[in-house]
Amino acid sequence: MAHGVKRRRNGFLEPRNYRYAIFSEGTVTEPAYFTGMKIAIEKNAAYRNMIYVKGTGRETQRVLEAARQWVSISHPRHCQVWCLYDKDEFPRDHFNNVLQSMDALNKGHTGIEYYAGWSNECFEYWLVLHFILYRSNNGREAYTEILNEQFQKLLHKKYSKEKSACLSLSESGYPLLYEDILKAGSPKNAIRNAEKQLDYLEKQYGKELLLHKPSEAVPATTVHKLVKELAGYLGKDEKKYFL
């Protein structure tokens, strides 16, 4: 849970202490997932326009640069800025240095807080965790195989990263990928699995690995931290799938 944010109490709405700006490397899967959460949360008028989602099509440090540019133009107040980026084939130092850059920015105490939701190797690992706890370092192709298997078994269709399969809205008004993941998988299990894998890597290699060399923590993701943060604003019907 991010600093300064109080969790929802029974019978009370989560206080709207922040605006959330989410910038992702990908332009399809990440925006589809978090636009789904945005729609679900902002059905409550108290949270209208609280979440901004932008797929940048950029990598690692450039995702942070896009976020900083938005901040300089939009001048938000009390805003959590989340950057979602993948290790992929990019140099290790490019991936690792984003955390150091964010630490430096957060020392400014400007009311803007930067957070990282990194995935090693890619965002699909976060999606895989909705179905199983996967610990093998077999590359992103393995994630796609697992998602295909689960989608075919549970939804009778293949997993696809095409815009039409992810960003198109369903009859209920949610991006298809988001709705498919909630139907077939479990965000609650994904959060638990992500936490278990990080705990496992920390015990194996030490906390410094996760703090300073996330490029060597594979497979792993911290996307769950953002999901857990936003889930506190969901209504009772949707929240049960996450927390």
Side-chain angles (χ1 to χ4, degrees), residues 17-18 60-61 65 89 93 102 107 122 125 150 154 156 180 185 190 212 215 227 232 235 238-239 241:
N17 294 331
Y18 289 92
T60 54
Q61 284 277 7
E65 290 173 7
E89 303 298 327
D93 60 332
M102 286 184 172
K107 290 178 181 178
C122 60
Y125 179 66
Q150 296 295 330
L154 301 168
H156 310 294
D180 285 344
H212 303 294
S215 63
V227 174
E238 294 91 356
K239 187 178 180 182
Y241 294 108

Side-chain angles (χ1 to χ4, degrees), residues 170-184:
S170 68
E171 292 183 359
S172 57
Y174 292 97
L176 287 174
L177 177 63
Y178 176 81
E179 189 163 276
D180 285 344
I181 288 292
L182 260 64
K183 282 181 179 179

Side-chain angles (χ1 to χ4, degrees), residues 1 4 21 25 54 56 67 69 81 88 105 114 116 120 166 200-201 203 211-212 239:
M1 180 168 60
E25 177 179 322
K54 175 69 176 178
T56 67
Q69 184 178 26
V81 179
D88 287 329
L105 289 169
Y114 289 88
N120 192 357
C166 294
Y200 170 78
L201 291 171
K203 290 176 182 177
L211 292 177
H212 303 294
K239 187 178 180 182

Side-chain angles (χ1 to χ4, degrees), residues 180-197:
D180 285 344
I181 288 292
L182 260 64
K183 282 181 179 179
S186 169
K188 184 183 295 186
N189 285 344
I191 291 170
R192 290 173 181 168
N193 288 336
E195 291 173 341
K196 286 179 181 178
Q197 179 64 357

